[in-house]
Amino acid sequence: MRKCQSWRLVKLLTVSAVLVLSAQILVGVLSKEQVKTSPLSEQEHRLLSPHSYQYVLNQPLCRYTSPFLLFLVPVAPQDNAAREAIRKTWGAPGQDTLTVFYMGVPEGGQGSSLQDKLEEESREHADIIQMNFLDSYQNLTIKTVMMMNWAATHCPRASYVMKVDSDIFVNVFHLLRWLRSCPRQAFITGSVINDGRPRRDIYSKWYVSEEEYPEDSFPPYVSGAGYVLSADLAARISWASRFVRMISMEDVYLGLCLRVLGVRPVYALSLPTLRNLFEIRDLEYDRCTFTKLLIVNGFKASKLLQHLGLNLFSAQRTQTSSTGCI
Ligand SMILES: *[C@@H]1O[C@H](CO)[C@@H](O)[C@H](O)[C@H]1NC(C)=O
């Protein structure tokens, strides 16, 4: 329970930091109440509805046992190297964790040679979930909603779900210990972005037209690199998606669903330094720094494998690897 108290302290500090640091955010919170929600039209909903797509590959992975923490990794069909590296590092099967890879169909469709390879890989590892939407960058939002729906319907007894990109370092040991310190509901944490705005510059990679999103700011959301939610929220997000129009930035989309649900994403900060535990910048590997973080960005397959021996990935890691760190 002491850890719960320190968690409350984190929350308290977070709240005060937010209050003190930015009056702007407060304005955002106040104006948020005025947003009306109504269900999407049939046609708008169809693009994101779980009923619009069928499983090409699926696995009854939670039929007999449920993991404490389910990792959902969106990955492009051709990115076999990333899947291999994750299976050998933080995604290795553990007692408390389960890792599934989520994808749509490749460009060439279901008859392509890439699809044949995927089916072989799926037979070997039984960790690939695939639905029949086209796998593309712009369709990441579809993928995210489908992942939430999969978690809610196929793995409903997991305690936590983590959406994590395939180029991320995950400190499984620290993450599990941190999550176990306190049971939570309607909870989502990650690197919170409170002041996001749509880019109206047509040449920007993140251009959003006024037609697509008329408001001039985004509600708070968590960076898509990696975020953790209590499993109850996966079902509620999937439900909320029938009120939120498709926008191609999946993390913003999730924030819009959270607004419908009245759930605020929270920061995860370390004490006493108030460092963000979800590090979305790239950092050079440093054992002492990494022991204390939950995720770090910028770990492509080769870099993950290079650190294979360092043991920070494993839930069974011995306590000793943080010795010598301050
Ligand atoms: C997204 O997926 C849908 C369903 O497969 C497809 O019709 C659409 O073309 C895809 N959009 C993009 C931009 O790839």
Side-chain angles (χ1 to χ4, degrees):
M1 278 300 103
R2 180 161 293 163
K3 280 179 175 165
C4 271
Q5 276 161 10
S6 71
W7 170 246
R8 280 200 199 105
L9 185 62
V10 171
K11 280 216 270 204
L12 197 71
L13 285 168
T14 313
V15 171
S16 16
V18 167
L19 287 178
V20 172
L21 287 177
S22 172
Q24 250 187 333
I25 298 167
L26 268 180
V27 175
V29 174
L30 293 175
S31 62
K32 150 188 148 179
E33 315 302 341
Q34 289 147 22
V35 177
K36 294 232 163 36
T37 47
S38 52
L40 297 177
S41 71
E42 185 79 15
Q43 195 194 352
E44 281 176 322
H45 178 50
R46 194 171 304 139
L47 193 57
L48 285 168
S49 167
H51 305 296
S52 304
Y53 306 104
Q54 275 94 49
Y55 287 105
V56 181
L57 298 170
N58 197 1
Q59 299 290 340
L61 292 165
C62 300
R63 184 174 287 167
Y64 302 113
T65 55
S66 291
F68 174 72
L69 172 62
L70 170 67
F71 289 117
L72 293 168
V73 187
V75 62
Q78 65 274 18
D79 207 352
N80 167 268
R83 291 189 289 277
E84 278 302 312
I86 291 169
R87 286 182 188 118
K88 289 192 178 123
T89 54
W90 57 263
Q95 227 177 359
D96 303 305
T97 61
L98 174 68
T99 305
V100 301
F101 297 101
Y102 214 99
M103 63 188 76
V105 291
E107 198 84 47
Q110 282 173 245
S112 63
S113 64
L114 178 51
Q115 184 62 30
D116 291 346
K117 278 197 208 127
L118 277 174
E119 287 175 15
E120 199 181 308
E121 186 182 332
S122 169
R123 278 191 293 276
E124 187 180 343
H125 296 283
D127 58 3
I128 295 179
I129 315 294
Q130 186 185 37
M131 289 199 102
N132 66 348
F133 59 84
L134 176 65
D135 196 290
S136 66
Y137 183 76
Q138 296 94 320
N139 270 349
L140 276 180
T141 302
I142 300 183
K143 205 182 265 193
T144 301
V145 175
M146 297 306 127
M147 287 194 301
M148 294 300 148
N149 183 61
W150 189 89
T153 55
H154 288 82
C155 208
R157 284 185 301 278
S159 299
Y160 289 96
V161 173
M162 179 171 194
K163 182 260 160 169
V164 55
D165 281 344
S166 61
D167 58 348
I168 299 288
F169 169 98
V170 182
N171 185 343
V172 178
F173 176 80
H174 195 32
L175 181 60
L176 287 174
R177 194 173 48 173
W178 186 76
L179 286 173
R180 282 195 193 288
S181 65
C182 209
R184 304 170 181 97
Q185 288 223 307
F187 167 80
I188 178 163
T189 187
S191 191
V192 180
I193 298 155
N194 272 311
D195 54 359
R197 287 172 184 282
R199 306 276 175 93
R200 301 299 191 198
D201 166 11
I202 176 157
Y203 297 108
S204 163
K205 184 182 170 194
W206 294 283
Y207 169 70
V208 182
S209 70
E210 282 184 39
E211 204 260 315
E212 199 180 359
Y213 187 82
E215 293 170 63
D216 57 12
S217 66
F218 295 134
Y221 65 98
V222 278
S223 157
Y227 49 83
V228 179
L229 46 136
S230 56
D232 60 302
L233 205 48
R236 294 173 67 200
I237 288 168
S238 169
W239 174 84
S241 71
R242 70 178 75 176
F243 297 92
V244 184
R245 268 178 72 192
M246 165 92 165
I247 176 168
S248 61
M249 285 168 289
E250 55 96 17
D251 42 11
V252 172
Y253 186 85
L254 203 87
L256 291 162
C257 291
L258 294 175
R259 179 168 68 179
V260 169
L261 297 170
V263 172
R264 266 187 92 88
V266 295
Y267 279 102
L269 302 173
S270 67
L271 290 175
T273 53
L274 297 188
R275 185 177 183 146
N276 186 357
L277 292 171
F278 289 79
E279 179 58 77
I280 57 166
R281 293 168 305 171
D282 297 9
L283 290 184
E284 268 317 303
Y285 184 82
D286 171 74
R287 186 175 63 89
C288 288
T289 310
F290 277 41
T291 342
K292 296 182 208 129
L293 296 173
L294 299 177
I295 67 165
V296 184
N297 206 344
F299 272 76
K300 296 249 183 280
S302 57
K303 200 168 164 194
L304 269 182
L305 291 173
Q306 192 189 331
H307 297 295
L308 187 63
L310 287 161
N311 232 7
L312 277 175
F313 304 112
S314 157
Q316 280 80 38
R317 182 178 70 107
T318 50
Q319 285 283 160
T320 52
S321 66
S322 61
T323 45
C325 302
I326 31 166

